[in-house]
Amino acid sequence: MPASIALKQNDSQQDLIIDPGSGLALQGRIRIPGDKSISHRALMLGAIAQGETTIEGLLLGEDPRSTAACFRAMGAEISELNAESVTVRGIGLGELREPIDVLNAGNSGTTLRLMIGLLASHPGRFFSVTGDNSLRSRPMSRVVKPLQQMGAQIWGRNNNTLAPLAIQGQQLKGIHYHSPIASAQVKSCILLAGLCAEGETTVTEPALSRDHSERMLEAFGAKLTRDPATHSVTITGNATTLTGQKVVVPGDISSAAFWLVAAAIVPGSELVIENVGVNPTRTGILEALDLMGADITLENERTVTGEPVADLRVRHSSLKGCTIAGDIIPRLIDEIPILAVAAAFAKGNTTIQDAAELRVKESDRLAVTATQLNRMGAKIAERPDGLEITGETPLRGAELDSHEDHRITMSLAIAALNAQGKTTIHGAEAAAISYPKFVDTLIQVT
Ligand code: S3P
């Protein structure tokens, strides 16, 4: 029987129905959407720079749309979003206008957390920010606390830890912040606040998180120094103006990860994923899959507007379990649900540790990954900071719930490709947060 893949509207939600039939293999050359992290930063830095920024390859997902809407509401002129070329006419550092309504970051933690750093450093201006159900339950104290140390005035629910938040902009002072977590959102928030703060602002993190902000801030002309030995970065406040740039956004390795795992686990598969960002602060997934015995090669390696890029060729191979823990975790933080899928099909057991951060993502990804894959027959035990996955448990089709989490939806869809029988994923529209054409590509490669 051939594979069948269909989307069905179910009230306001979509069901993704996958039946792999028999003898399914993934073949072809595919392009993935633009990197979400880089897309947010290009829109934000473009908005606060002087002159024009052009963005090629912007992710057209819901999250960057939230960023664009927020910065338009504060005076930046951002052309209609498309993947070819978006133009941002910036309004200059410290010049964001007071919006006449609440800024809504939707589902996007990156939008909310990075933006707060900029807003807090606009003296005399008032801002209120919120998000959807998921974002309003995610911890904001991790950015509110360091910003308060810089002199920010921020109020919010639950003792200033949850959105909606109200921000009365202030002249901030630079600090040296030792972050207890390796989080690019925290680091970037503080660096953006530091742009207009007095003196120097330094962030030291326990392990290196993605460095797209550092790369792009430097390209736009910010005065920034890095100390790789201590995972520290320092920005000098009021040092220069930022100047609009041309940004070419590479494909998102976090989106490529679904196809890497799909081709690795489905017998007979071979895919080439073109134009993938391979910034070393993001390639933990390649290292983890390599440890598991996956057959992935990098081709056509190049650098595009300051970010390393390559085409990835992946062929099916038999995988083995491994342990994933420590400093690699921030470099594959968004790929853990799909790694759990790979581990369920691997020989031997896989242990994922030091990943408690997953509990405060768009959903509690440790709990949701375990419960949903276990419904398919996987054997995954949840630990406070990770997962224990028993390998080689044959999966069967099941009725599943995305928990409105884009990465969970897509991970479950890949698991369904290698399961026996029909899987239905409720709430599959969540994929549009980071990958609006996911199902089209799924149909293309099967
Ligand atoms: C992001 C950082 C990560 C990641 C998120 C995007 C960013 O979050 O999970 O999807 O663009 O800075 P944390 O910084 O909270 O780990």
Side-chain angles (χ1 to χ4, degrees):
M1 197 182 80
S4 90
I5 296 167
L7 265 179
K8 226 175 85 189
Q9 199 66 34
N10 186 356
D11 295 327
S12 59
Q13 290 203 323
Q14 277 179 354
D15 289 345
L16 173 57
I17 304 159
I18 298 176
D19 190 335
S22 53
L24 169 89
L26 289 84
Q27 296 285 343
R29 291 185 83 87
I30 55 172
R31 282 226 156 202
I32 46 165
D35 186 279
K36 183 156 78 67
S37 294
I38 299 176
S39 295
H40 284 301
R41 287 156 173 81
L43 289 166
M44 288 190 195
L45 292 195
I48 59 168
Q50 248 159 29
E52 198 172 279
T53 290
T54 56
I55 311 170
E56 250 177 54
L58 186 87
L59 167 64
L60 301 180
E62 297 300 326
D63 274 9
R65 289 188 192 283
S66 297
T67 295
C70 289
F71 283 83
R72 281 183 182 128
M74 294 186 284
E77 277 178 48
I78 303 175
S79 68
E80 196 193 318
L81 301 191
N82 63 66
E84 285 73 52
S85 179
V86 172
T87 306
V88 183
R89 242 175 272 281
I91 51 177
L93 210 48
E95 299 295 336
L96 290 173
R97 295 197 201 121
E98 189 173 84
I100 58 170
D101 204 347
V102 179
L103 298 166
N104 193 334
N107 191 243
S108 174
T110 309
T111 306
L112 192 58
R113 295 200 178 109
L114 269 59
M115 186 166 71
I116 296 171
L118 288 171
L119 307 184
S121 57
H122 276 67
R125 274 162 244 188
F126 177 81
F127 308 88
S128 46
V129 295
T130 192
D132 69 3
N133 285 335
S134 153
L135 190 53
R136 279 185 276 106
S137 69
R138 294 178 67 185
M140 291 300 142
S141 46
R142 55 183 59 199
V143 289
V144 170
K145 275 196 186 139
L147 288 172
Q148 285 172 334
Q149 287 173 25
M150 296 174 80
Q153 287 198 14
I154 304 176
W155 301 267
R157 289 189 301 128
N158 198 36
N159 199 22
N160 308 330
T161 63
L162 294 174
L165 298 170
I167 299 152
Q168 179 67 59
Q170 303 291 327
Q171 174 58 56
L172 302 184
K173 292 183 292 296
I175 55 166
H176 186 161
Y177 187 62
H178 293 268
S179 178
I181 43 174
S183 159
Q185 292 182 357
V186 170
K187 173 175 65 177
S188 305
C189 167
I190 299 167
L191 292 176
L192 290 175
L195 273 173
C196 287
E198 283 165 13
E200 289 187 340
T201 299
T202 301
V203 184
T204 298
E205 38 180 5
L208 187 61
S209 64
R210 64 192 67 192
D211 69 353
H212 305 300
S213 295
E214 293 91 309
R215 288 173 189 250
M216 206 182 288
L217 278 163
E218 275 175 334
F220 275 70
K223 194 164 171 240
L224 189 134
T225 53
R226 299 208 233 180
D227 180 3
T230 59
H231 313 306
S232 299
V233 49
T234 299
I235 195 157
T236 307
N238 299 310
T240 51
T241 54
L242 302 183
T243 310
Q245 300 292 315
K246 177 175 177 183
V247 180
V248 180
V249 182
D252 197 325
I253 191 166
S254 298
S255 298
F258 302 111
W259 308 119
L260 292 173
V261 171
I265 62 175
V266 178
S269 298
E270 177 165 356
L271 286 176
V272 177
I273 312 161
E274 295 176 342
N275 195 41
V276 183
V278 287
N279 178 318
T281 60
R282 296 284 300 281
T283 48
I285 178 70
L286 300 181
E287 288 159 46
L289 287 174
D290 187 50
L291 264 178
M292 296 176 85
D295 178 357
I296 300 172
T297 46
L298 272 68
E299 299 174 356
N300 195 14
E301 290 183 63
R302 58 220 187 255
T303 300
V304 180
T305 57
E307 290 278 352
V309 176
D311 301 335
L312 305 182
R313 182 180 295 273
V314 52
R315 295 185 185 91
H316 169 258
S317 59
S318 54
L319 299 182
K320 56 182 191 290
C322 69
T323 296
I324 299 163
D327 285 5
I328 194 174
I329 295 291
R331 299 193 297 114
L332 49 65
I333 190 74
D334 292 335
E335 286 69 76
I336 289 172
I338 190 64
L339 262 177
V341 172
F345 292 103
K347 201 176 168 60
N349 298 344
T350 295
T351 303
I352 298 171
Q353 287 170 348
D354 305 319
E357 270 295 297
L358 257 74
R359 297 207 179 274
V360 290
K361 295 293 180 187
E362 286 84 330
S363 69
D364 177 343
R365 286 182 175 159
L366 294 179
V368 174
T369 299
T371 52
Q372 298 302 307
L373 290 175
N374 285 349
R375 276 197 200 174
M376 303 179 86
K379 273 203 202 128
I380 304 183
E382 210 184 311
R383 303 278 178 251
D385 69 338
L387 300 170
E388 294 282 346
I389 303 148
T390 305
E392 279 187 316
T393 43
L395 299 198
R396 52 177 189 274
E399 197 157 326
L400 305 174
D401 184 348
S402 74
H403 286 252
E404 293 172 40
D405 184 326
H406 53 129
R407 300 203 197 280
I408 295 290
T409 306
M410 294 184 274
S411 300
L412 297 177
I414 300 306
L417 286 182
N418 217 22
Q420 274 279 314
K422 184 175 97 172
T423 294
T424 301
I425 304 167
H426 298 297
E429 69 286 350
I433 291 291
S434 62
Y435 204 153
K437 297 225 160 102
F438 174 75
V439 175
D440 296 330
T441 305
L442 191 58
I443 292 169
Q444 180 197 329
V445 296
T446 49

